[in-house]
Amino acid sequence: MALTYVIVSLTAVSSLAVEDTPSAKDLTYITHQFPLFNFQEDNRIQGISIDLLELVWNRMGESLNRSVIEFLPWTEGYQRTLNKKNTVLFATARLPEREQLFKWAGPIGSDMKVLLAKKDKDLSISGPADLKNYRIGVVKDDSAVQLVLNNGARMEDLVVENTSKPIIEMLQNDSIDAWAYSETAGRWLIRNSGANASDYRAAYVLGKIEAYYAFNKETPDSLVQSFQQALDYRSWVKVTENHRQNQMPKIHFCSK
C-alpha cells in the first residue's frame, strides 16, 4: 500500500508539473509599430516577424493566428515583457546590455539604426565626438538609446520620450536636431504623422542590430528552444524577400 501511495503521489506531482509548464498557446505575444518587421496598417497587423511567427506556430502544431497578438507602444510592451511571466516581445534588438534581461529566439532579421535629421539642418557629424554637439531624441528603452551612447553621446544630451510622436513634433519644430532610430521605420512614422519624409535624411549611421523574439526570463528553456528549432526549420529568407518586394509599407520619399 505504501508503494502504491508513492507511485500515485509521484504521478500526481508529475501531472501537475506538466500542467504548470506553459506552451506556445499560453504565451502573451506583444508587438509594436516597427516596419517592415511588424506594423499595423489598414487595421491589420503585418510584417516579417508576424509571418514568421505564424510559421513557427504551425511547425509547433499550435492552432494560433495573428489575432492573438497584442499591439502596444514599444516602451509599454518592453516593460511588460521584462516584468510579466509568459510574455514575448518582437521584434527586439539583441544587444549585449540586454542579453541577461530576456531569453531569445531568432534572428528575425537585421536593421540599421541612424540619426534622422532635416536635410536643411546640415548636421556635420564625422565621428562619435561630434554627437555631443547636438540634441538627440530617443524613444525610451529603444535599442538606439544604447547605440547612441556607445557612439559618444551623453545621456544629458538626449531627449527621452515614451513614444515617437513627440519626437517627430520636436524634429519638425527644431526643438531637437536629430532622432536616433531605424531609418526605414522612422521615415514611415514621419510620413504617418503627416510630415514629408523626403525632408529628412540619415545624417549618421549608429550601427546595425539583429532583431529577435524576446521572452520573459521565466519562460522555460524548453519552450524557447522549441521556438528556436521551429525558426531554424523555416525558410525566413523567402518571407523576407516577399515583404521587400510585395508587402513593404507604402513609403513615398527620395533618399540620398
Side-chain angles (χ1 to χ4, degrees):
M1 290 180 63
L3 180 58
T4 301
Y5 176 79
V6 170
I7 293 173
V8 170
S9 298
L10 289 175
T11 302
V13 170
S14 177
S15 299
L16 184 61
V18 170
E19 290 176 1
D20 289 344
T21 302
S23 65
K25 69 178 182 299
D26 300 314
L27 296 176
T28 298
Y29 298 88
I30 301 174
T31 194
H32 57 107
Q33 198 77 299
F34 194 70
L36 47 82
F37 288 102
N38 23 260
F39 60 99
Q40 191 170 46
E41 193 169 55
D42 300 326
N43 295 318
R44 175 177 165 80
I45 296 177
Q46 51 195 306
I48 296 169
S49 62
I50 309 296
D51 288 352
L52 284 181
L53 186 56
E54 288 190 325
L55 290 175
V56 167
W57 286 333
N58 181 263
R59 179 64 180 166
M60 295 176 72
E62 300 286 0
S63 57
L64 297 169
N65 59 59
R66 65 187 67 196
S67 66
V68 305
I69 299 170
E70 291 190 39
F71 197 90
L72 297 175
W74 166 254
T75 299
E76 182 180 346
Y78 184 86
Q79 290 298 325
R80 190 194 294 188
T81 306
L82 273 176
N83 298 301
K84 189 174 181 181
K85 291 176 61 175
N86 299 335
T87 54
V88 55
L89 175 68
F90 59 94
T92 307
R94 187 172 184 174
L95 304 177
E97 294 80 6
R98 291 177 175 173
E99 187 65 28
Q100 303 305 316
L101 299 179
F102 302 97
K103 293 180 181 179
W104 305 89
I108 301 168
S110 60
D111 183 54
M112 195 66 70
K113 298 287 185 175
V114 303
L115 291 184
L116 282 168
K118 281 184 177 178
K119 290 179 180 178
D120 60 15
K121 287 193 78 73
D122 195 28
L123 270 64
S124 177
I125 303 175
S126 58
D130 296 326
L131 297 184
K132 299 175 183 178
N133 300 324
Y134 300 104
R135 283 175 59 79
I136 299 169
V138 294
V139 176
K140 183 181 177 182
D141 297 321
D142 184 66
S143 58
V145 177
Q146 190 62 53
L147 290 177
V148 78
L149 292 174
N150 292 348
N151 273 271
R154 299 168 299 190
M155 197 66 204
E156 57 265 33
D157 296 326
L158 303 184
V159 178
V160 184
E161 297 289 347
N162 288 331
T163 67
S164 61
K165 183 178 178 180
I167 295 176
I168 293 171
E169 291 173 352
M170 287 187 285
L171 271 180
Q172 291 180 271
N173 64 29
D174 296 319
S175 297
I176 59 174
D177 300 299
W179 177 20
Y181 205 62
S182 159
E183 182 174 11
T184 299
R187 287 179 180 273
W188 191 88
L189 291 166
I190 288 171
R191 184 211 66 176
N192 274 22
S193 75
N196 189 349
S198 63
D199 291 340
Y200 295 83
R201 69 184 180 95
Y204 186 74
V205 175
L206 296 169
K208 185 178 182 181
I209 61 95
E210 293 292 328
Y212 279 70
Y213 297 95
F215 297 77
N216 176 271
K217 279 199 70 174
E218 294 188 45
T219 306
D221 290 340
S222 59
L223 181 51
V224 179
Q225 289 165 6
S226 294
F227 260 80
Q228 187 63 63
Q229 290 168 2
L231 280 168
D232 291 341
Y233 180 83
R234 91 285 193 245
S235 177
W236 66 269
V237 173
K238 182 177 180 180
V239 175
T240 303
E241 287 306 312
N242 180 50
H243 274 272
R244 293 192 184 280
Q245 295 172 16
N246 303 317
Q247 298 184 37
M248 178 65 184
K250 301 177 183 67
I251 306 176
H252 304 288
F253 57 82
C254 298
S255 59
K256 56 184 283 187

